[in-house]
Amino acid sequence: MTKEKILVIGASGQIGVELTQALRKMYGNANVVASDLREENELLKGTGPYVSLDVMNKEMLHVQVIRQNITQIYLLAAILSATGEKNPGLAWHLNMQGLLNVLDIAREEKLQKVYWPSSIAVFGPTSPKQNCPQQTIIEPITVYGISKYAGEFWCNYFNRRFGVDVRSLRYPGLISYKSAPGGGTTDYAIEIFHEALENKKYKCFLKEDTYLPMMYMPDAIRATIELMEAPANKISIRTSYNISAISFSPNEIATEIKKHIPGFKISYSPDYRQAIADSWPQSIDDSTASADWGWKPEYDLQKTTKDMLLNLKNAG
Ligand code: VAH
């Protein structure tokens, strides 16, 4: 049994910090190398190896994989939906070339496994709005969605053609308190908690009835680990799995927060991100993930709200 040595690319990001922490608990701190273009996130400092690494520099990345005897790569570096619309060329280049660099190296070095996140942002206005299925009409209208959907096909190709065990999840909007969100359309669902605690009011950049698929980060991290730990013969989807947990609107999460902060007030001032949100499904059918590897969410809106407020208050 080869000793697992994991490289997390994008370890200082919203998902990367918590995924690195979870992987270090499982594999031992020294066996999980965190990397990012940015400097090491405070929460990771002193908990394990960290290297500055640009996923776009394929030669440097290849050297690190060999030098560190890496057996698995988790690639989280990406430009998200809202930021991507401000710089389409860069978003396409980073999201696509970063993945191709990792897949090529995984093939050449015969890595055990690769993880790469897709997103419900692959779906577009022609996809079903409710219980959007695993396979359906998929016509993304953001560069982020286009790059994630194209990336799904590259994952499928490298698995079928070269046997690379690359696995992927279509994350909904992710809610977390440990590290800042990364420029997404669903970031309102994180900002609202900070604003409610600091100012007792929040001006939301989406309309009050904008329903979106969301998930609390502990569920997303557990889904990722469960997917990666599942036996390969259980994985029937080599593009990317739909997963889901909760769907809510800004009005609904505001109402839930008011139960804890009675004076909290929300106002609405939709911006360019409204059109992105309107192009996505409101809820997702994740029955394939449940059937293949037993996916089941644990956090609903009530539990998420309580846990977010408790931890943000403690972080004070
Ligand atoms: C975004 N948080 O808003 C990401 C996510 C489903 C949305 O992929 O771009």
Side-chain angles (χ1 to χ4, degrees):
M1 168 83 164
T2 45
K3 189 162 82 75
E4 293 299 346
K5 188 83 178 283
I6 296 172
L7 173 65
V8 179
I9 302 172
S12 287
Q14 184 196 9
I15 303 170
V17 168
E18 303 207 41
L19 200 47
T20 301
Q21 290 177 323
L23 290 167
R24 284 180 170 163
K25 268 205 197 91
M26 288 173 68
Y27 291 96
N29 288 353
N31 297 318
V32 180
V33 180
S35 74
D36 205 304
L37 202 52
R38 294 164 290 187
E39 65 167 41
E40 187 174 19
N41 185 289
E42 282 304 317
L43 291 171
L44 297 180
K45 281 188 176 153
T47 69
Y50 189 89
V51 290
S52 173
L53 192 145
D54 177 357
V55 73
M56 301 304 279
N57 184 333
K58 188 177 176 182
E59 292 65 37
M60 271 302 291
L61 174 58
H62 204 158
V63 164
Q64 283 295 341
V65 167
I66 294 168
R67 187 180 291 166
Q68 304 263 6
N69 299 309
I70 298 298
T71 61
Q72 296 184 39
I73 295 179
Y74 284 67
L75 170 56
L76 302 167
I79 291 178
L80 301 186
S81 61
T83 309
E85 291 308 292
K86 292 178 184 161
N87 195 333
L90 179 63
W92 171 257
H93 187 52
L94 170 64
N95 294 358
M96 268 319 23
Q97 199 53 53
L99 173 62
L100 290 171
N101 289 349
V102 167
L103 290 173
D104 264 344
I105 292 167
R107 174 171 64 87
E108 286 164 42
E109 299 304 325
K110 295 184 175 41
L111 298 192
Q112 291 290 318
K113 284 177 205 167
V114 173
Y115 178 72
W116 174 77
S118 181
S119 160
I120 61 110
V122 299
F123 297 112
T126 52
S127 304
K129 283 292 177 204
Q130 304 302 333
N131 295 318
C132 191
Q134 177 70 46
Q135 268 104 11
T136 184
I137 298 166
I138 301 189
E139 297 173 325
I141 61 159
T142 62
V143 174
Y144 174 66
I146 293 165
S147 70
K148 286 298 182 181
Y149 200 31
E152 290 186 8
F153 292 119
W154 277 114
C155 292
N156 195 45
Y157 178 83
F158 269 78
N159 176 258
R160 296 168 72 94
R161 178 82 195 280
F162 304 118
V164 173
D165 187 354
V166 50
R167 306 183 188 189
S168 178
L169 297 173
R170 289 172 179 161
Y171 287 137
L174 298 183
I175 300 171
S176 64
Y177 59 85
K178 288 189 180 177
S179 56
T185 301
T186 58
D187 291 359
Y188 90 87
I190 298 164
E191 291 171 2
I192 192 169
F193 287 103
H194 292 270
E195 294 296 317
L197 285 167
E198 284 155 33
N199 308 311
K200 286 204 167 185
K201 65 181 190 318
Y202 177 58
K203 187 156 84 168
C204 183
F205 56 75
L206 296 180
K207 280 188 230 158
E208 63 180 301
D209 59 350
T210 308
Y211 277 84
L212 288 172
M214 299 279 191
M215 184 177 287
Y216 196 33
M217 187 62 80
D219 266 346
I221 299 300
R222 182 173 53 83
T224 308
I225 302 288
E226 287 176 4
L227 170 73
M228 294 303 277
E229 296 294 300
N233 62 9
K234 298 276 189 196
I235 307 298
S236 70
I237 300 289
R238 287 290 180 172
T239 47
S240 186
Y241 277 96
N242 281 6
I243 53 167
S244 93
I246 32 184
S247 287
F248 57 77
S249 65
N251 178 48
E252 287 184 337
I253 191 169
T255 303
E256 197 56 36
I257 289 172
K258 281 176 196 159
K259 293 178 187 171
H260 302 266
I261 307 175
F264 173 60
K265 296 231 176 311
I266 186 167
S267 60
Y268 301 95
S269 175
D271 68 11
Y272 75 100
R273 289 168 284 193
Q274 185 64 48
I276 297 173
D278 289 342
S279 74
W280 292 343
Q282 294 183 347
S283 62
I284 299 290
D285 171 4
D286 59 2
S287 51
T288 307
S290 304
D292 283 6
W293 42 275
W295 164 243
K296 191 173 177 313
E298 289 175 8
Y299 283 85
D300 60 12
L301 179 56
Q302 290 67 27
K303 218 173 143 188
T304 299
T305 301
K306 192 158 172 275
D307 202 66
M308 278 290 284
L309 291 172
L310 177 71
N311 283 287
L312 284 173
K313 271 182 206 148
N314 292 345

